[in-house]
Amino acid sequence: MGLDIVQFLENKTILVTGATGFLVKIFVEKLLRIQPNVKKMYVLIRAMDKQAAKQRLHEELIQKKLFDILREEWAENFNSIVEKLSPIPGDVSCENLGVHDFDLRSEMWREIDIIVSSAATTKFDERYDIALAVNTFGAKHVAEFAVRCVNIKMLLHISTAYVCGDMTGIIQEKAFSMGETPNGSRKLDVNEEKLLVEELMNKLRERNASEREITIALKNLGLQRARLHGWPNTYTLTKAMGEMMVQHHLKQNIQLAIMRPTIITSTYREPFAGWIEGFPPRTMDSIAILYGRGRLKYFLGNPNTILDMIPADMVVNAMIVAMAVHANQPNSNKIYQVGSSKKHPISYSDIRRIIVSYFKDSPWINDDGKPVKVRKLRTMGSTASFHKHMRRYIFLSKALKVASSAFGGCFQGLHADLDKKVNTALRLADLYEPYIFFNGVFDDTNMMALRATAFDNGVNLGNVFYFDPGCINWEDYFKRTHLPTVVKTFKRK
């Protein structure tokens, strides 16, 4: 029997969290474009009231260039299609998702067929209290909300492949048990983590700490707790705990699919090639921008490291196919790692070569209209060699500061410029080190099985629901699509 995904989506009611985020905007657009007869899409948006939620929906989704193809394809019907989007003021960090209107909650519990849980804070070094509230307890609240939905077919939870933390080798599509850690040093207790945040907040308030001091302390706590248990940063720790929570609090009879995308890049094809949003962008993009602007000559990285990247529209297609497959298959809970390292890998050295070649052929144009001449990007293969190299610049920065004080501030501009460059390089190295030295390949057995199931059931995997990274020509994609988009996005910000 065939699986008609477009027909499956007809007359369905879907709740989407995180819809103002990069990935889910593409999901919403695609779903409306292929099936305008979806019954309703509840869009949970952080806002004070319904009007504010509606305004954010229009400004951050509907009015975006992303929706231009939908606007053109459906012309006079466009407004009636986007009216299927029902903005709901709420917050996943609150119980009942912050939906205070009881009648509205009851309607949602009655009507919802599918939940797509994607609300997250993706900052690597987010304040621990915020990351816990959104990424961990937000996942718990979504699962609890799903349990109240009487007609729910399935829950699709968006995580990240990097919940694997310090694991190496072949990273399996395997669920975390409650309290499991990558390094196995000790059991992780989610409630204990919340208590640690509360204790630190109380101490900080007792000594009247400034907001800046509170932010720094909570960022440091998150990074310390992550690294203690074998995760590189607060984001991956709290997303891993979010996976634990959603699995623990969801009833057995509700189908669950967890999508773990790797590094998500600009769209490959739909709704058009090269759509991306937000800055600072993804891992290599920050390095590319600094290099293109002539502000980076050396960087950290193992040339042989596989950088696992996947275009956003491929992730979205995998999400939609997984929704349809799991809603029709009882007891089919799965974790899907959506990436390219197993099937179509690209190395750090290949990416570096492509970036250098791109900016030689298409140099960055400065504010004065002159092109920036780039040199070869030299790579340091260890953290120790990178920090040794940076010591001379740190020393020079300190010397300029002393000289500036001694000579009435005449070196102040030079010091400020160098200090900013040094701090940027050190911060990038600290945040991205786990990725540019990552020694793992993400198994995609479940993804391959999903593609096989879809293919066997007649799903159009070539033009409509494509998510096979094997079709990507990486050099062509980066030079013609991704890097030009990243440059434009940075210049617009």
Side-chain angles (χ1 to χ4, degrees), residues 3 8 12 113-114 151-155 253-257 320-332:
L3 174 65
F8 162 77
K12 290 290 188 294
D113 296 296
I114 296 165
N151 291 310
I152 192 166
K153 311 294 186 297
M154 68 95 60
L155 168 62
N253 62 331
I254 300 175
Q255 305 311 307
L256 171 67
I320 294 172
V321 171
M323 275 168 42
V325 167
H326 284 270
N328 288 293
Q329 282 186 5
N331 305 313
S332 62

mmCIF file of all heavy atoms in Angstrom, residues 3 8 12 113-114 151-155 253-257 320-332:
data_model
loop_
_atom_site.group_PDB
_atom_site.id
_atom_site.type_symbol
_atom_site.label_atom_id
_atom_site.label_comp_id
_atom_site.label_asym_id
_atom_site.label_seq_id
_atom_site.Cartn_x
_atom_site.Cartn_y
_atom_site.Cartn_z
ATOM 1 N N LEU A 3 2.140 5.267 0.415
ATOM 2 C CA LEU A 3 2.042 6.280 1.453
ATOM 3 C C LEU A 3 1.974 7.631 0.762
ATOM 4 O O LEU A 3 2.966 8.103 0.209
ATOM 5 C CB LEU A 3 3.258 6.203 2.380
ATOM 6 C CG LEU A 3 3.383 7.305 3.450
ATOM 7 C CD1 LEU A 3 2.243 7.223 4.450
ATOM 8 C CD2 LEU A 3 4.716 7.202 4.154
ATOM 9 N N PHE A 8 -1.953 12.485 3.510
ATOM 10 C CA PHE A 8 -1.889 12.279 4.960
ATOM 11 C C PHE A 8 -2.022 13.617 5.710
ATOM 12 O O PHE A 8 -2.686 13.704 6.740
ATOM 13 C CB PHE A 8 -0.570 11.591 5.335
ATOM 14 C CG PHE A 8 -0.214 11.713 6.789
ATOM 15 C CD1 PHE A 8 -0.842 10.940 7.756
ATOM 16 C CD2 PHE A 8 0.749 12.642 7.204
ATOM 17 C CE1 PHE A 8 -0.526 11.081 9.106
ATOM 18 C CE2 PHE A 8 1.066 12.783 8.550
ATOM 19 C CZ PHE A 8 0.422 11.988 9.500
ATOM 20 N N LYS A 12 -5.244 17.805 8.749
ATOM 21 C CA LYS A 12 -4.566 17.558 10.031
ATOM 22 C C LYS A 12 -4.407 18.871 10.794
ATOM 23 O O LYS A 12 -4.251 19.954 10.220
ATOM 24 C CB LYS A 12 -3.179 16.941 9.799
ATOM 25 C CG LYS A 12 -3.215 15.509 9.288
ATOM 26 C CD LYS A 12 -3.706 14.528 10.347
ATOM 27 C CE LYS A 12 -3.569 13.086 9.912
ATOM 28 N NZ LYS A 12 -4.419 12.700 8.771
ATOM 29 N N ASP A 113 -3.449 16.640 16.084
ATOM 30 C CA ASP A 113 -3.064 15.326 15.561
ATOM 31 C C ASP A 113 -1.566 15.070 15.724
ATOM 32 O O ASP A 113 -1.138 13.945 15.959
ATOM 33 C CB ASP A 113 -3.397 15.230 14.063
ATOM 34 C CG ASP A 113 -4.885 15.308 13.795
ATOM 35 O OD1 ASP A 113 -5.612 14.407 14.245
ATOM 36 O OD2 ASP A 113 -5.320 16.277 13.132
ATOM 37 N N ILE A 114 -0.775 16.123 15.532
ATOM 38 C CA ILE A 114 0.693 15.995 15.531
ATOM 39 C C ILE A 114 1.301 17.185 16.265
ATOM 40 O O ILE A 114 0.810 18.314 16.136
ATOM 41 C CB ILE A 114 1.244 15.969 14.082
ATOM 42 C CG1 ILE A 114 0.733 14.734 13.333
ATOM 43 C CG2 ILE A 114 2.776 16.005 14.057
ATOM 44 C CD1 ILE A 114 0.918 14.812 11.834
ATOM 45 N N ASN A 151 -6.430 12.915 20.481
ATOM 46 C CA ASN A 151 -6.362 12.353 19.129
ATOM 47 C C ASN A 151 -4.953 12.391 18.534
ATOM 48 O O ASN A 151 -4.783 12.225 17.320
ATOM 49 C CB ASN A 151 -7.314 13.109 18.189
ATOM 50 C CG ASN A 151 -8.770 12.840 18.526
ATOM 51 O OD1 ASN A 151 -9.172 11.676 18.656
ATOM 52 N ND2 ASN A 151 -9.559 13.890 18.695
ATOM 53 N N ILE A 152 -3.972 12.581 19.366
ATOM 54 C CA ILE A 152 -2.611 12.753 18.853
ATOM 55 C C ILE A 152 -2.104 11.481 18.176
ATOM 56 O O ILE A 152 -2.297 10.367 18.665
ATOM 57 C CB ILE A 152 -1.646 13.218 19.978
ATOM 58 C CG1 ILE A 152 -0.309 13.670 19.364
ATOM 59 C CG2 ILE A 152 -1.444 12.134 21.032
ATOM 60 C CD1 ILE A 152 0.571 14.459 20.311
ATOM 61 N N LYS A 153 -1.467 11.676 17.003
ATOM 62 C CA LYS A 153 -0.912 10.548 16.236
ATOM 63 C C LYS A 153 0.568 10.344 16.526
ATOM 64 O O LYS A 153 1.059 9.238 16.549
ATOM 65 C CB LYS A 153 -1.072 10.791 14.725
ATOM 66 C CG LYS A 153 -2.474 11.213 14.278
ATOM 67 C CD LYS A 153 -3.501 10.116 14.478
ATOM 68 C CE LYS A 153 -4.857 10.519 13.893
ATOM 69 N NZ LYS A 153 -5.492 11.684 14.521
ATOM 70 N N MET A 154 1.291 11.463 16.721
ATOM 71 C CA MET A 154 2.717 11.340 17.003
ATOM 72 C C MET A 154 3.314 12.676 17.449
ATOM 73 O O MET A 154 2.741 13.736 17.209
ATOM 74 C CB MET A 154 3.485 10.801 15.789
ATOM 75 C CG MET A 154 3.591 11.699 14.592
ATOM 76 S SD MET A 154 5.128 12.666 14.564
ATOM 77 C CE MET A 154 6.362 11.388 14.550
ATOM 78 N N LEU A 155 4.485 12.576 18.108
ATOM 79 C CA LEU A 155 5.263 13.741 18.534
ATOM 80 C C LEU A 155 6.617 13.676 17.835
ATOM 81 O O LEU A 155 7.320 12.661 17.902
ATOM 82 C CB LEU A 155 5.455 13.742 20.054
ATOM 83 C CG LEU A 155 6.478 14.730 20.643
ATOM 84 C CD1 LEU A 155 6.087 16.170 20.368
ATOM 85 C CD2 LEU A 155 6.636 14.520 22.143
ATOM 86 N N ASN A 253 1.690 4.867 24.279
ATOM 87 C CA ASN A 253 0.859 4.746 23.077
ATOM 88 C C ASN A 253 1.020 5.923 22.111
ATOM 89 O O ASN A 253 0.404 5.950 21.051
ATOM 90 C CB ASN A 253 -0.621 4.593 23.462
ATOM 91 C CG ASN A 253 -1.144 5.813 24.206
ATOM 92 O OD1 ASN A 253 -0.394 6.499 24.890
ATOM 93 N ND2 ASN A 253 -2.427 6.075 24.074
ATOM 94 N N ILE A 254 1.835 6.927 22.465
ATOM 95 C CA ILE A 254 2.076 8.062 21.566
ATOM 96 C C ILE A 254 3.384 7.823 20.815
ATOM 97 O O ILE A 254 4.433 7.612 21.436
ATOM 98 C CB ILE A 254 2.135 9.397 22.346
ATOM 99 C CG1 ILE A 254 0.813 9.659 23.074
ATOM 100 C CG2 ILE A 254 2.460 10.552 21.399
ATOM 101 C CD1 ILE A 254 0.817 10.883 23.965
ATOM 102 N N GLN A 255 3.315 7.838 19.495
ATOM 103 C CA GLN A 255 4.510 7.598 18.679
ATOM 104 C C GLN A 255 5.472 8.780 18.818
ATOM 105 O O GLN A 255 5.057 9.938 18.808
ATOM 106 C CB GLN A 255 4.128 7.413 17.208
ATOM 107 C CG GLN A 255 3.099 6.328 16.951
ATOM 108 C CD GLN A 255 3.453 5.022 17.634
ATOM 109 O OE1 GLN A 255 4.551 4.512 17.472
ATOM 110 N NE2 GLN A 255 2.533 4.494 18.410
ATOM 111 N N LEU A 256 6.755 8.451 18.938
ATOM 112 C CA LEU A 256 7.780 9.482 19.103
ATOM 113 C C LEU A 256 8.890 9.289 18.081
ATOM 114 O O LEU A 256 9.424 8.195 17.930
ATOM 115 C CB LEU A 256 8.370 9.412 20.519
ATOM 116 C CG LEU A 256 9.605 10.285 20.795
ATOM 117 C CD1 LEU A 256 9.247 11.764 20.740
ATOM 118 C CD2 LEU A 256 10.221 9.940 22.155
ATOM 119 N N ALA A 257 9.225 10.352 17.381
ATOM 120 C CA ALA A 257 10.416 10.366 16.526
ATOM 121 C C ALA A 257 11.286 11.537 16.973
ATOM 122 O O ALA A 257 10.794 12.664 17.111
ATOM 123 C CB ALA A 257 10.042 10.515 15.055
ATOM 124 N N ILE A 320 9.104 15.699 7.683
ATOM 125 C CA ILE A 320 7.750 15.477 7.153
ATOM 126 C C ILE A 320 7.526 13.989 6.850
ATOM 127 O O ILE A 320 6.473 13.429 7.165
ATOM 128 C CB ILE A 320 7.503 16.354 5.906
ATOM 129 C CG1 ILE A 320 7.511 17.847 6.296
ATOM 130 C CG2 ILE A 320 6.172 16.005 5.249
ATOM 131 C CD1 ILE A 320 7.472 18.812 5.116
ATOM 132 N N VAL A 321 8.527 13.340 6.250
ATOM 133 C CA VAL A 321 8.401 11.909 5.951
ATOM 134 C C VAL A 321 8.271 11.110 7.251
ATOM 135 O O VAL A 321 7.426 10.207 7.364
ATOM 136 C CB VAL A 321 9.603 11.408 5.115
ATOM 137 C CG1 VAL A 321 9.581 9.887 4.983
ATOM 138 C CG2 VAL A 321 9.595 12.058 3.725
ATOM 139 N N ALA A 322 9.086 11.454 8.256
ATOM 140 C CA ALA A 322 9.022 10.754 9.554
ATOM 141 C C ALA A 322 7.658 10.921 10.205
ATOM 142 O O ALA A 322 7.109 9.976 10.789
ATOM 143 C CB ALA A 322 10.122 11.256 10.481
ATOM 144 N N MET A 323 7.075 12.110 10.098
ATOM 145 C CA MET A 323 5.735 12.353 10.645
ATOM 146 C C MET A 323 4.729 11.385 10.050
ATOM 147 O O MET A 323 3.964 10.734 10.765
ATOM 148 C CB MET A 323 5.288 13.797 10.322
ATOM 149 C CG MET A 323 5.753 14.845 11.292
ATOM 150 S SD MET A 323 5.488 16.543 10.680
ATOM 151 C CE MET A 323 3.873 16.454 9.959
ATOM 152 N N ALA A 324 4.728 11.284 8.734
ATOM 153 C CA ALA A 324 3.747 10.437 8.044
ATOM 154 C C ALA A 324 3.977 8.955 8.341
ATOM 155 O O ALA A 324 3.027 8.205 8.579
ATOM 156 C CB ALA A 324 3.810 10.695 6.542
ATOM 157 N N VAL A 325 5.223 8.526 8.323
ATOM 158 C CA VAL A 325 5.542 7.116 8.563
ATOM 159 C C VAL A 325 5.172 6.704 9.977
ATOM 160 O O VAL A 325 4.522 5.670 10.198
ATOM 161 C CB VAL A 325 7.037 6.842 8.274
ATOM 162 C CG1 VAL A 325 7.464 5.475 8.824
ATOM 163 C CG2 VAL A 325 7.310 6.917 6.769
ATOM 164 N N HIS A 326 5.548 7.510 10.971
ATOM 165 C CA HIS A 326 5.328 7.116 12.370
ATOM 166 C C HIS A 326 3.869 7.227 12.796
ATOM 167 O O HIS A 326 3.424 6.462 13.651
ATOM 168 C CB HIS A 326 6.235 7.924 13.302
ATOM 169 C CG HIS A 326 7.646 7.449 13.272
ATOM 170 N ND1 HIS A 326 8.131 6.484 14.119
ATOM 171 C CD2 HIS A 326 8.664 7.771 12.448
ATOM 172 C CE1 HIS A 326 9.396 6.247 13.821
ATOM 173 N NE2 HIS A 326 9.751 7.022 12.815
ATOM 174 N N ALA A 327 3.142 8.159 12.203
ATOM 175 C CA ALA A 327 1.718 8.283 12.542
ATOM 176 C C ALA A 327 0.943 7.051 12.096
ATOM 177 O O ALA A 327 -0.120 6.745 12.634
ATOM 178 C CB ALA A 327 1.137 9.533 11.900
ATOM 179 N N ASN A 328 1.494 6.327 11.132
ATOM 180 C CA ASN A 328 0.829 5.133 10.599
ATOM 181 C C ASN A 328 1.440 3.825 11.094
ATOM 182 O O ASN A 328 1.059 2.756 10.640
ATOM 183 C CB ASN A 328 0.867 5.168 9.057
ATOM 184 C CG ASN A 328 -0.073 6.210 8.485
ATOM 185 O OD1 ASN A 328 -1.282 6.085 8.595
ATOM 186 N ND2 ASN A 328 0.481 7.254 7.909
ATOM 187 N N GLN A 329 2.423 3.924 11.985
ATOM 188 C CA GLN A 329 3.098 2.719 12.478
ATOM 189 C C GLN A 329 3.123 2.708 14.004
ATOM 190 O O GLN A 329 3.941 3.389 14.616
ATOM 191 C CB GLN A 329 4.541 2.662 11.961
ATOM 192 C CG GLN A 329 4.677 2.217 10.530
ATOM 193 C CD GLN A 329 6.140 2.043 10.135
ATOM 194 O OE1 GLN A 329 7.036 2.160 10.949
ATOM 195 N NE2 GLN A 329 6.371 1.768 8.867
ATOM 196 N N PRO A 330 2.260 1.939 14.647
ATOM 197 C CA PRO A 330 2.291 1.833 16.106
ATOM 198 C C PRO A 330 3.617 1.239 16.589
ATOM 199 O O PRO A 330 4.241 0.442 15.887
ATOM 200 C CB PRO A 330 1.122 0.892 16.433
ATOM 201 C CG PRO A 330 0.273 0.884 15.198
ATOM 202 C CD PRO A 330 1.184 1.138 14.051
ATOM 203 N N ASN A 331 4.031 1.650 17.791
ATOM 204 C CA ASN A 331 5.251 1.125 18.428
ATOM 205 C C ASN A 331 6.478 1.241 17.518
ATOM 206 O O ASN A 331 7.250 0.294 17.371
ATOM 207 C CB ASN A 331 5.053 -0.338 18.846
ATOM 208 C CG ASN A 331 3.841 -0.518 19.745
ATOM 209 O OD1 ASN A 331 3.659 0.233 20.697
ATOM 210 N ND2 ASN A 331 3.003 -1.495 19.426
ATOM 211 N N SER A 332 6.619 2.402 16.904
ATOM 212 C CA SER A 332 7.729 2.573 15.953
ATOM 213 C C SER A 332 8.667 3.709 16.359
ATOM 214 O O SER A 332 9.243 4.383 15.506
ATOM 215 C CB SER A 332 7.170 2.844 14.555
ATOM 216 O OG SER A 332 6.410 4.053 14.549
#
